[in-house]
Structures are given as structure tokens and as C-alpha cells.
Amino acid sequence: GIPVSLLHRTVEGVKAPLVRLGSDEIDIRASRMLGEAGHRHVAFLASGSRESVAQREETFRRGLADQGIELPSSHVACGGMVHFGEEE
């Protein structure tokens, strides 16, 4: 399986740890925790319009970059369905 943590709200039918903080703090902590756990291939998934999550994505990217981790655009999905490994 793929490790998953929920940020800000639950998802019906998904059993995973939930973290509730301000969005900038969530993104910084999440990126730090992923880096400290040794993860180097990371994805960013968010619901809502692209505009509504742009700031969260930027904060998450910055947190990853501080640890030398790149977030390719093919690993970002907002709102709709994106298949990993395919560039839009």
C-alpha cells in the first residue's frame, strides 16, 4: 500500500491519520516529515480549483526544496483526475 495522511478534513471510507492545522503549517510539516522519513518521490494531491490550492502547492514545494526534494508537475493533481507519470 501507499502511506496516506489526510490534511484538514476526513474522506468518507478512508482510514488514515488526520492533521488539522493552518494550511501553510500543514504543508511545511508534511514536507518536513516526508523528507525526514527518507521519501524522495512525493506527490501533491488537492481538491478544489487550481487557483484555490496554488498557494498550498507553492508552500509544499518550498518545504520539499529546502530538503533537496523535487516535486515534478506530473506528480501534482488538483480537482480532477491525473495519472502519475503523464505530463499534461
Side-chain angles (χ1 to χ4, degrees):
I2 298 172
V4 172
S5 293
L6 300 172
L7 306 176
H8 188 60
R9 65 177 183 258
T10 59
V11 175
E12 186 176 333
V14 176
K15 292 183 180 182
L18 174 67
V19 178
R20 291 182 193 253
L21 300 166
S23 60
D24 282 353
E25 184 66 22
I26 288 171
D27 299 326
I28 293 297
R29 284 186 183 201
S31 60
R32 185 181 309 136
M33 290 173 66
L34 290 166
E36 289 172 355
H39 298 287
R40 295 293 175 254
H41 302 283
V42 177
F44 179 84
L45 310 174
S47 61
S49 69
R50 182 77 174 148
E51 297 79 25
S52 70
V53 296
Q55 178 60 44
R56 296 199 61 206
E57 179 186 341
E58 178 57 32
T59 304
F60 188 68
R61 281 182 182 280
R62 252 191 350 261
L64 292 174
D66 287 347
Q67 300 174 83
I69 303 170
E70 181 183 350
L71 179 62
S73 60
S74 61
H75 286 63
V76 175
C78 299
M81 191 69 123
V82 172
H83 298 281
F84 290 103
E86 295 179 8
E87 292 290 333
E88 291 185 342

